[in-house]
Amino acid sequence: MAWKSKTRSLQVFDTELSADTVEWCPVPQSHDVLACGTYQLHKGGGDEHATPSRTGRLYLFEFQRDGAMAPPLAELQRTDMAAILDMKWCHVPLSDRPVLGIAAATGELQLHALSHSQEGGRSLQTLCSSEVGAERLALSLDWSTGRMDSSDVRVACSDSAGCVSVFSAADGALTALSYWKAHDFEAWITAFSYWDTQLVYSGGDDCKLKGWDLRADPSSPAFTSKRHSMGVCSIHSSPHREHILATGSYDEQVLLWDGRNMRKPLSESPLGGGVWRLKWHPAHQYLLLAACMHNDFHILHCQQALEGSGGACPVVASYILHNSLAYGADWSRLSLEGPAPCSPPVTEPKESLAESRGHLRIQYESPTASFDISLEDDAGQYIPEGTATPTASPTSAPAVNPDEDAPSLSCLLASCSFYDHMLHVWRWDWTPEETQKESDLC
């Protein structure tokens, strides 16, 4: 059966400062909460000897599906703070509250709890912080809770001095457990094995991917791989399949690994841009989201590689409306009910933007003089995703099944880009060709 893949922009938000990380909350009852972090470097105002400063801002949003004539994101909170390099929600609540971890340019690992006010609003409140080391940036973090295990909650953090730290986060308090020198240069990324949380991975600017057994001496890695030819900057353990690991690098390759054999990857997929972040889909085991810096955002289907067929993983969807470095990306766990929207797929704008039942509005202009679009009626009102509009031909995806038992698949995603300081919320629909043809009639 042939399948059709279509992406559609739902909203664009100007973060004002350079956006580099975006995360949907994985805790039930808070799946509609989205956080976005920014990083801004201020160079010393012409003084080449001045120490640069780094500032940031944390945004908190709520995704509202019921708004008839308004964009779906509602801003809940914005907090100016130190520059944010990475952030991730704990997959389980701590002390009955969702908790967001932040890797900050001050060299701190910070925890912030999502709280409800008496008026019904939601906001993030600082729980605690811990310094990972002096004169360094905290670069990345990961929680041990990727398979929703709340028995021993820990968080790992990597830094610009090439070190990795592991903390206990019991009851929302940080207690240092271990700390070691992992790489010769920046340790861009660290991640837990979600199946054996005594195993921690790290990737560095020394082009090395390493594994560390927390039960052993951390001065000696469990393995070292030099398969990537440039700095390793993304690692994600599969929450669905034991031993499976995805890694990405400035060498523009996504490698899939079986942790029982780290000498040779299961597959190598060239993506045409440095792979800054990788995210396995929270429910569909074969889907992998990649943020590819100079080459947009892509969704890979990894079934053939994971089942031993080898070869590159096919790209089944791409989101190309960002105009700058593609850094942050994440899947939402929210269910998108209803049929695929009858709207144009994401494409480069054509010469004529006029439509008979709505017109496309320029949302912003970037330094590259290109622009993004949203749909409005003649009165200037936003046309939400469920409203029928003229259609264009969707792009064809490789002949792979998104899920053996699924009649179709609809996903909500968020992504952000750096120099144009933009956050995008978008949806991806993957449907059988017959279903797509029916929806094109509406």
Side-chain angles (χ1 to χ4, degrees):
M1 178 185 294
W3 291 77
K4 294 294 184 179
S5 179
K6 182 193 292 187
T7 56
R8 180 181 192 261
S9 178
L10 301 180
Q11 188 175 349
V12 176
F13 181 88
D14 186 347
T15 60
E16 300 177 356
L17 306 180
S18 299
D20 60 354
T21 178
V22 61
E23 297 285 324
W24 292 96
C25 184
V27 177
Q29 286 76 55
S30 298
H31 287 171
D32 59 338
V33 172
L34 176 67
C36 180
T38 66
Y39 172 103
Q40 198 72 37
L41 177 66
H42 305 277
K43 295 183 176 178
D47 183 357
E48 62 182 20
H49 300 292
T51 301
S53 62
R54 298 174 176 88
T55 60
R57 182 178 297 152
L58 174 62
Y59 287 94
L60 191 69
F61 300 95
E62 178 181 83
F63 185 85
Q64 300 173 338
R65 288 176 289 183
D66 299 329
M69 297 304 294
L73 277 190
E75 183 180 336
L76 300 177
Q77 183 184 14
R78 63 172 67 187
T79 304
D80 290 326
M81 57 191 302
I84 299 169
L85 280 298
D86 190 23
M87 62 184 184
K88 291 184 178 73
W89 295 91
C90 183
H91 303 82
V92 298
L94 300 179
S95 300
D96 300 321
R97 292 186 294 176
V99 171
L100 179 68
I102 292 177
T106 51
E108 291 178 301
L109 173 64
Q110 304 175 359
L111 299 187
H112 300 259
L114 184 65
S115 302
H116 292 257
S117 68
Q118 294 181 348
E119 294 77 20
R122 291 180 286 188
S123 62
L124 285 168
Q125 308 295 328
T126 301
L127 271 183
C128 61
S129 65
S130 181
E131 188 178 78
V132 298
E135 298 182 354
R136 65 192 66 192
L137 284 67
L139 295 180
S140 77
L141 68 102
D142 193 26
W143 295 87
S144 64
T145 52
R147 299 187 65 238
M148 304 298 178
D149 183 4
S150 59
S151 58
D152 181 18
V153 178
R154 284 167 293 146
V155 57
C157 183
S158 67
D159 65 45
S160 59
C163 298
V164 174
S165 306
V166 177
F167 299 84
S168 168
D171 302 320
L174 289 171
T175 303
L177 299 177
S178 54
Y179 169 83
W180 67 95
K181 178 74 170 180
H183 295 273
D184 295 331
F185 305 108
E186 290 91 340
W188 291 118
I189 189 71
T190 189
F192 280 96
S193 165
Y194 294 147
W195 296 81
D196 177 5
T197 57
Q198 295 298 328
L199 179 60
V200 171
Y201 305 107
S202 66
D205 210 46
D206 54 8
C207 312
K208 295 176 182 178
L209 167 66
K210 296 184 179 183
W212 309 89
D213 189 334
L214 299 180
R215 294 159 294 201
D217 182 358
S219 64
S220 178
F223 71 82
T224 299
S225 171
K226 301 179 182 178
R227 190 59 180 252
H228 282 293
S229 61
M230 298 180 72
V232 180
C233 44
S234 54
I235 303 173
H236 199 206
S237 170
S238 170
H240 310 294
R241 297 172 69 101
E242 190 174 4
H243 308 301
I244 297 302
L245 184 72
T247 65
S249 165
Y250 291 126
D251 66 9
E252 305 182 355
Q253 300 285 327
V254 171
L255 305 186
L256 297 185
W257 302 87
D258 184 323
R260 295 166 294 186
N261 178 16
M262 295 301 296
R263 295 182 179 180
K264 182 180 180 181
L266 296 173
S267 73
E268 302 182 42
S269 303
L271 290 184
V275 185
W276 183 252
R277 281 296 175 265
L278 290 169
K279 297 284 185 69
W280 291 104
H281 191 285
H284 297 275
Q285 62 176 320
Y286 299 124
L287 296 177
L288 182 64
L289 174 63
C292 299
M293 298 184 71
H294 294 283
N295 195 37
D296 307 309
F297 299 88
H298 306 286
I299 298 172
L300 284 70
H301 193 280
C302 304
Q303 181 176 4
Q304 294 177 349
L306 296 181
E307 293 181 351
S309 300
C313 300
V315 173
V316 294
S318 298
Y319 187 78
I320 61 173
L321 283 183
H322 286 272
N323 291 308
S324 183
L325 291 176
Y327 269 167
D330 198 22
W331 305 93
S332 171
R333 287 167 168 79
L334 278 177
S335 173
L336 291 178
E337 299 178 355
C342 296
S343 59
V346 172
T347 59
E348 291 297 327
K350 306 299 182 182
E351 292 184 3
S352 174
L353 298 180
E355 299 285 359
S356 59
R357 297 178 61 187
H359 60 271
L360 298 172
R361 176 189 180 187
I362 296 176
Q363 292 276 34
Y364 66 92
E365 290 190 6
S366 77
T368 59
S370 57
F371 52 87
D372 197 1
I373 55 176
S374 71
L375 203 60
E376 290 183 341
D377 61 20
D378 290 334
Q381 295 294 313
Y382 169 80
I383 299 179
E385 63 172 288
T387 305
T389 58
T391 63
S393 299
T395 58
S396 296
V400 287
N401 191 332
D403 190 304
E404 291 180 359
D405 300 318
S408 63
L409 181 62
S410 296
C411 299
L412 178 65
L413 302 96
S415 54
C416 63
S417 47
F418 199 69
Y419 293 114
D420 62 351
H421 40 83
M422 286 293 164
L423 165 67
H424 289 225
V425 175
W426 46 286
R427 69 178 288 163
W428 171 50
D429 293 286
W430 205 13
T431 56
E433 188 173 9
E434 292 80 6
T435 303
Q436 188 71 49
K437 288 179 179 178
E438 290 176 6
S439 67
D440 288 345
L441 297 176
C442 59

